[in-house]
Amino acid sequence: MGFFDFLFKKKKKRILPERMNVKTTISTGPDYYTREYVNLLLSRPTMQDFWDRSFDSPRYTDNYQTPEGYKLRELLLLVWWGNTKTGRKSSISIPKYFFSDYNIDAEKLTKEFKNKGLLLDDGERTKPSEEGKQIAGKYHALWEIHSVKNFPVNLDVDFPRWDKQKFELNILISELAYYNEHARFCRNIINYFQNISGYNNHIDISNEVNYYINNLNSDVAKINDLTEKIQILENK
């Protein structure tokens, strides 16, 4: 074979190995998304189920008629001005919630309180007059109602029958009822999964079980804590 014959000789066709058809199987585990499971999920309680009003309840209704002629939400501003012993700086920015939550022109109303002698400017500070102190003291419960967190209070609904200790007790009792019901919900879900044969061999189901066990443990801790707090308040 010559040199050029070597360079330009026809190459043998490369024979590729025969492709093997490999069948793969995916272990999906049992189908637990049944009607029974959906019904269990739909039975999940919410805190609002144990209250007598919804989260979107208004902060006021203006139904309560005061002898001073002011609305409760307006008198809340007078209470705010008198909430410190030495008054507040006259230049202080009045909290935005008076406008956003109570729809009050706080600057204009403050001037009206001053014109009527309910507020006085003392140097760089503004504080209630003696008459203003009496009125602010009469309606100080408005500040307690306004300061409640995680419950939709209403000035006009709650003020006439306001009892701070009783209110706090009722809230704790409602929370206890919720966590007891939520614990029952978690137990039902856990029992549902654990009744599936070999459930712990499937990671997705095991994760669900662990999730609800953690929730249940958290509920039990809160139930114990709330029970103690309720007992303390009831014994006062």
Side-chain angles (χ1 to χ4, degrees):
M1 177 184 294
F3 179 73
F4 288 101
D5 291 331
F6 172 77
L7 288 178
F8 299 106
K9 72 177 180 178
K10 187 176 182 181
K11 295 181 180 180
K12 293 183 179 179
K13 185 177 180 181
R14 184 183 178 190
I15 301 175
L16 297 175
E18 184 177 351
R19 178 174 295 180
M20 298 179 62
N21 293 324
V22 179
K23 294 183 178 180
T24 58
T25 58
I26 300 175
S27 177
T28 58
D31 182 12
Y32 63 82
Y33 205 85
T34 64
R35 170 53 59 184
E36 179 184 358
Y37 178 62
V38 172
N39 288 339
L40 284 174
L41 291 179
L42 292 175
S43 70
R44 180 192 296 270
T46 66
M47 187 71 76
Q48 190 171 318
D49 296 333
F50 299 87
W51 293 346
D52 61 356
R53 63 189 73 169
S54 61
F55 275 113
D56 58 356
S57 296
R59 303 279 294 188
Y60 61 90
T61 62
D62 290 342
N63 289 335
Y64 189 88
Q65 302 298 313
T66 70
E68 292 79 13
Y70 285 103
K71 299 169 183 176
L72 288 180
R73 57 192 171 101
E74 294 173 331
L75 290 171
L76 177 64
L77 178 63
L78 182 64
V79 172
W80 178 81
W81 276 110
N83 237 3
T84 62
K85 292 182 179 180
T86 59
R88 300 182 184 275
K89 285 187 176 182
S90 301
S91 59
I92 192 172
S93 295
I94 299 175
K96 186 179 179 180
Y97 56 71
F98 279 106
F99 172 77
S100 59
D101 293 346
Y102 301 107
N103 198 26
I104 290 175
D105 185 338
E107 298 289 348
K108 180 179 179 181
L109 185 57
T110 295
K111 290 179 180 179
E112 183 177 327
F113 285 154
K114 290 180 179 181
N115 291 336
K116 290 194 174 183
L118 300 180
L119 288 178
L120 301 174
D121 286 326
D122 183 7
E124 295 182 351
R125 307 190 76 82
T126 297
K127 57 185 180 180
S129 63
E130 286 303 317
E131 182 183 3
K133 287 180 182 178
Q134 292 180 2
I135 296 175
K138 179 181 176 181
Y139 293 99
H140 188 266
L142 293 174
W143 186 254
E144 293 179 351
I145 297 170
H146 159 76
S147 301
V148 170
K149 306 299 182 185
N150 302 321
F151 184 83
V153 291
N154 181 294
L155 297 181
D156 297 88
V157 173
D158 294 313
F159 177 75
R161 50 190 175 88
W162 181 251
D163 181 323
K164 185 178 181 181
Q165 182 173 320
K166 185 176 180 180
F167 175 84
E168 291 175 346
L169 178 60
N170 287 337
I171 291 297
L172 292 177
I173 291 173
S174 296
E175 289 181 353
L176 178 59
Y178 163 74
Y179 284 112
N180 272 310
E181 187 64 18
H182 193 268
R184 186 193 65 80
F185 163 79
C186 290
R187 289 190 187 96
N188 288 340
I189 294 286
I190 293 168
N191 290 338
Y192 171 80
F193 282 125
Q194 290 182 338
N195 285 329
I196 297 175
S197 178
Y199 79 92
N200 52 352
N201 293 324
H202 305 284
I203 188 65
D204 56 337
I205 297 180
S206 293
N207 287 340
E208 287 289 305
V209 172
N210 289 332
Y211 170 78
Y212 284 104
I213 287 176
N214 287 335
N215 272 259
L216 177 59
N217 291 337
S218 177
D219 288 343
V220 171
K222 289 173 181 174
I223 288 169
N224 293 334
D225 180 60
L226 288 167
T227 300
E228 291 181 4
K229 288 180 178 177
I230 290 171
Q231 289 175 347
I232 291 172
L233 283 178
E234 287 180 335
N235 293 329
K236 278 188 176 182

